[in-house]
Amino acid sequence: MTETLPYAEATRILLNAESILLVTHFNPDGDAIGSLLGLGNALRALGKRVDCAVDKELPEYLRFLPGAETVLPKLTAGSWSVMVSLDSSDEERSGDVGAYGRAHSSFVINVDHHPTNTRFGHLHLIKPQAVSTTEIVLEWVQQMQIPITREIAVPLLTGLVTDTIGFSTSNVTAYSLAQAQILMEAGASLTEITQRTLNSMPYRTVELWKQALQTVTLQDGVISALIRREVWESLGLTEPSDDGLVSWLCTANEAMVSVTFRETSDGAVNLSFRCKPGYNVASVAFALGGGGHTQASGATVKGTLDDVHARVMPMLKDAVRSGELVIS
């Protein structure tokens, strides 16, 4: 089932590179850091000089991944032969490290599985039907004939597990499970990864949810929650995600689409969308300048929480109505 992608050309470019920079998107999830470290550890096994970077620090729950301590929170110096952008659907998504890297790298390889990818960079390893970017990275590592060690397998399986919510999304296929088996046979524990990523939550997140749940409403198949800045600041959190609240909300039987609206510290609202099979929230995210998958996507929109809420809710209600037509 391996799609024909320019793996051979990408491999030639990496093998000839004197220095390599790997970056991924800000507010990284398991697939972002999993693909970053999976590829980084594989290239280091070849003796390559590799720098890995993501804006700010790694989420605490992903610091167990092999090589996590090598990830840089910012870039202020250096240049590279090749930059590889991982799991970022557009240039802005990779933040400050991406902007610096593109300005100081001779060649850019774009590796991603989001259907909304804008195809930036010089060479594209883009496979929208892949369940995660780590699935593409695994294919690439196999093409390079690099032995799959535990240090490579654990980050890659983490991306598979988190982006499929434990292999429960509608895009999971027998091929996805076969790739997971390869990684498990290389030493990655499905039990440990699932526990550390999907079944783990600090108490401060419970407090965040408690406050957000008081704002929950259900309108025309769209369930929503508001996370105001003063709430997460009062809990001592720094620009948090909703930590899975949007996925949990979508389990409500009457909800076809879920959304969380989170105020940021710079006058914007971060939006996270989820939907049940048969519906599509990626189109809404893309229209708002964001991106993602059919069933899981997001965007950041400038404006007050009330204004953004008033603008976005009708778009999501339209997505529910369109989905009803798709599955009828």
Side-chain angles (χ1 to χ4, degrees):
M1 183 177 169
T2 302
E3 180 181 333
T4 301
L5 292 176
Y7 288 123
E9 184 180 357
T11 298
R12 177 185 59 79
I13 290 168
L14 281 192
L15 294 181
N16 290 331
E18 293 184 1
S19 56
I20 301 167
L21 171 67
L22 309 182
V23 304
T24 191
H25 61 77
F26 54 78
N27 295 329
D29 55 10
D31 192 26
I33 301 302
S35 57
L36 186 79
L37 291 175
L39 182 58
N41 292 341
L43 294 175
R44 286 172 180 141
L46 292 179
K48 286 294 180 180
R49 176 195 148 196
V50 180
D51 291 313
C52 296
V54 63
D55 276 7
K56 301 182 180 178
E57 59 184 12
L58 264 65
E60 187 174 350
Y61 77 99
L62 294 173
R63 294 177 190 171
F64 77 98
L65 295 177
E69 71 283 354
T70 69
V71 178
L72 302 171
K74 60 182 177 180
L75 297 173
T76 56
S79 60
W80 299 267
S81 306
V82 179
M83 172 182 135
V84 182
S85 174
L86 295 148
D87 201 45
S88 296
S89 57
D90 56 68
E91 291 179 317
E92 290 185 0
R93 188 87 172 107
S94 59
D96 292 339
V97 296
Y100 186 94
R102 287 188 298 274
H104 295 84
S105 300
S106 301
F107 196 90
V108 176
I109 300 176
N110 179 350
V111 184
D112 189 28
H113 75 127
H114 294 100
T116 53
N117 191 282
T118 58
R119 305 189 77 82
F120 61 91
H122 302 96
L123 185 65
H124 309 127
L125 300 181
I126 300 172
K127 185 178 177 182
Q129 67 268 39
V131 299
S132 66
T133 297
T134 57
E135 183 179 296
I136 304 171
V137 171
L138 176 57
E139 290 181 354
W140 192 9
V141 170
Q142 291 171 319
Q143 291 284 328
M144 288 189 278
Q145 299 184 337
I146 301 173
I148 307 297
T149 62
R150 181 183 178 277
E151 287 70 29
I152 298 170
V154 172
L156 296 186
L157 185 58
T158 297
L160 281 172
V161 168
T162 54
D163 250 30
T164 62
I165 316 176
F167 301 101
S168 66
T169 53
S170 61
N171 59 347
V172 172
T173 65
Y175 178 74
S176 309
L177 298 177
Q179 295 295 77
Q181 181 178 349
I182 291 170
L183 299 172
M184 292 171 68
E185 290 173 347
S189 169
L190 178 60
T191 301
E192 179 187 11
I193 290 169
T194 301
Q195 181 61 38
R196 285 181 176 269
T197 59
L198 300 183
N199 298 334
S200 177
M201 182 186 296
Y203 181 70
R204 284 191 300 181
T205 297
V206 176
E207 289 286 345
L208 182 70
W209 281 32
K210 182 171 71 174
Q211 297 295 322
L213 287 172
Q214 298 177 47
T215 72
V216 170
T217 62
L218 176 67
Q219 304 175 27
D220 300 328
V222 180
I223 190 168
S224 65
L226 310 179
I227 303 174
R228 298 191 180 275
R229 178 178 177 178
E230 59 263 27
V231 170
W232 56 260
E233 283 185 338
S234 70
L235 295 171
L237 297 170
T238 304
E239 295 288 359
S241 69
D242 67 26
D243 289 312
L245 176 59
V246 69
S247 296
W248 183 78
L249 289 174
C250 205
T251 63
N253 292 337
E254 297 84 356
M256 302 301 110
V257 169
S258 63
V259 55
T260 57
F261 297 81
R262 178 182 57 80
E263 285 185 309
T264 70
S265 59
D266 58 355
V269 178
N270 181 267
L271 305 168
S272 292
F273 305 130
R274 297 293 184 272
C275 65
K276 288 185 167 71
Y279 297 84
N280 181 357
V281 288
S283 58
V284 176
F286 190 72
L288 294 167
H293 317 290
T294 300
Q295 288 183 254
S297 57
T300 299
V301 180
K302 287 289 185 181
T304 67
L305 191 148
D306 292 337
D307 288 345
V308 173
H309 182 272
R311 175 186 174 190
V312 172
M313 287 298 289
M315 300 172 70
L316 294 175
K317 292 176 184 179
D318 285 344
V320 170
R321 286 188 286 271
S322 297
E324 289 172 341
L325 295 174
V326 170
I327 62 176
S328 60

